[in-house]
Amino acid sequence: MIKSIISFLCKSSPFWAVIILWRLQLHFWNPGGILAIIPIFFYSFVRPIPWFTPFAILFCFLIDYSCDTKLFWTTMYFITYAINGFQYFLDLQRADRNAIVPFMIFFGISLFVLMIINISWTMLFRCIWMFVWVSLLYIPVTNITKKVLGND
């Protein structure tokens, strides 16, 4: 009984990571729960798990709602999902270092588009800060969820 509960909690850790990172919204450190994009990207494209895609779409929509970005992150997720369909061009499942470079490209392009939409000095510095902060947290967050999940 206890082993089945522990097994369930370990297998559901990516889902819990997204929920927790989205709920821990802080204006400077995690605006709109944007840190939830880390496990969304990782478990959708790098280490896909069953039934995670609908969950990721829902939480991209919730990030959009929290950030007031009108389906921006959901659209970026769909674009990345479509690009990832070209497995002969991109193979994120075999990328090294938890595919941090593809994540930084995805997140950097997304922030650049956001900055262009609302161009100002404040937005420029906010985008630079978010890019550096989320990129620094990518490896620790993915390593922690991989350890809990047990697929190191």
Side-chain angles (χ1 to χ4, degrees):
M1 177 71 172
I2 300 271
K3 283 191 176 202
S4 63
I5 292 171
I6 291 173
S7 174
F8 169 75
L9 290 175
C10 288
K11 289 182 181 178
S12 66
S13 68
F15 298 94
W16 288 109
V18 170
I19 293 170
I20 290 168
L21 287 172
W22 180 71
R23 285 297 294 158
L24 290 175
Q25 298 177 21
L26 299 169
H27 179 68
F28 186 73
W29 300 105
N30 191 13
I34 196 67
L35 289 177
I37 208 78
I38 295 171
I40 287 172
F41 181 87
F42 188 75
Y43 286 106
S44 291
F45 306 120
V46 182
R47 301 276 189 275
I49 57 175
W51 295 100
F52 195 78
T53 301
F55 184 78
I57 293 168
L58 171 69
F59 271 88
C60 283
F61 178 75
L62 290 174
I63 291 170
D64 283 327
Y65 177 75
S66 298
C67 293
D68 197 26
T69 51
K70 297 183 178 97
L71 296 178
F72 177 78
W73 290 105
T74 308
T75 303
M76 292 307 289
Y77 178 83
F78 282 135
I79 290 170
T80 307
Y81 195 84
I83 291 171
N84 192 45
F86 300 116
Q87 284 296 325
Y88 63 91
F89 182 66
L90 292 173
D91 193 8
L92 297 178
Q93 294 180 5
R94 292 195 178 111
D96 58 344
R97 293 178 292 158
N98 295 341
I100 189 166
V101 173
F103 175 76
M104 289 171 67
I105 292 169
F106 158 74
F107 198 65
I109 290 172
S110 301
L111 288 177
F112 182 73
V113 170
L114 271 179
M115 185 185 67
I116 294 299
I117 291 171
N118 185 15
I119 195 158
S120 69
W121 287 108
T122 306
M123 190 64 170
L124 172 70
F125 291 123
R126 177 176 281 170
C127 287
I128 291 171
W129 161 247
M130 286 309 302
F131 180 77
V132 170
W133 179 241
V134 174
S135 297
L136 283 174
L137 289 178
Y138 181 79
I139 295 292
V141 168
T142 56
N143 282 342
I144 289 170
T145 56
K146 276 178 23 183
K147 287 218 186 285
V148 170
L149 190 59
N151 63 354
D152 241 353

